[in-house]
Amino acid sequence: MTKTDQTELPNDRSKLIGTGLKIGIVFSRFNGSITSKLLAGAKKTLLESGVNKQDIEIIDVPGALEIPYAAQSLMKSGNFNALVTLGCVIRGETSHYEIVSTQAAEGINRISLDNGIPITFGVLTTENAEQAIARSGGDKGNLGSEAALAAIELALLTKRLLPFN
Ligand code: INI
């Protein structure tokens, strides 16, 4: 599949009804001018998909490295159908870009698979600030919105495939 094919895959929001789902959001304050836009996009998408405002819990952490721990704590509460993680790691701003981005991704994925709860990855990992701006509500979309939509989709999938969970 080419890159063009992937971006043209149907992403029909009208089929994703999130009413009744409980969604936790963990977002990092590092690069806050970007992550606040990811958060706004995620909240807008959840509400537009029918998730009730009172069923959305938002937790903030200092940086992307803290996201997995906070997500795990939220998950252990047992109150959520899915979690959305939001952050921004910019290569130009850190010498330990690889550590922060890799550990955040690895940690998030591990706790999701280990615990059987969908956790979606709205953590931007970019070469520079321009790329991050473009992907947080600019001309390349909003990764926060995409992560929110993916969380609804996976939560509905889990309900369908594992109804007695
Ligand atoms: N955290 C980020 O979310 N993005 C970054 O780009 C970043 N940089 O540049 O270092 C970053 N570092 C902080 C890290 O996530 C932790 O908060 C910190 O190491 C304290 O544990």
Side-chain angles (χ1 to χ4, degrees), residues 147-164:
L149 207 54
I152 295 173
E153 185 169 339
L154 270 289
L156 294 174
L157 182 84
T158 307
K159 271 176 168 283
R160 184 162 59 85
L161 297 181
L162 305 168
F164 303 113

Side-chain angles (χ1 to χ4, degrees), residues 98-121:
E98 300 293 349
I99 294 173
V100 176
S101 54
T102 306
Q103 290 305 312
E106 194 277 332
I108 290 164
N109 217 26
R110 179 163 50 80
I111 58 176
S112 176
L113 294 174
D114 284 355
N115 296 281
I117 298 262
I119 308 181
T120 60
F121 192 66

Side-chain angles (χ1 to χ4, degrees), residues 27-33 35 60-63 86:
F27 89 98
S28 141
R29 299 188 301 273
F30 205 103
N31 291 318
S33 61
T35 59
D60 62 292
V61 294
L86 305 172

Side-chain angles (χ1 to χ4, degrees), residues 28 30-31 62-66 88-90 93-94 96 100:
S28 141
F30 205 103
N31 291 318
L65 272 181
E66 283 74 42
C88 176
V89 191
I90 300 176
E93 289 179 12
T94 175
H96 62 294
V100 176

Side-chain angles (χ1 to χ4, degrees), residues 1 3 11 15 37 50 90 93 135 147:
M1 181 183 282
K3 255 187 167 172
N11 212 356
K15 291 200 184 112
K37 291 185 189 152
I90 300 176
E93 289 179 12
R135 290 162 177 77

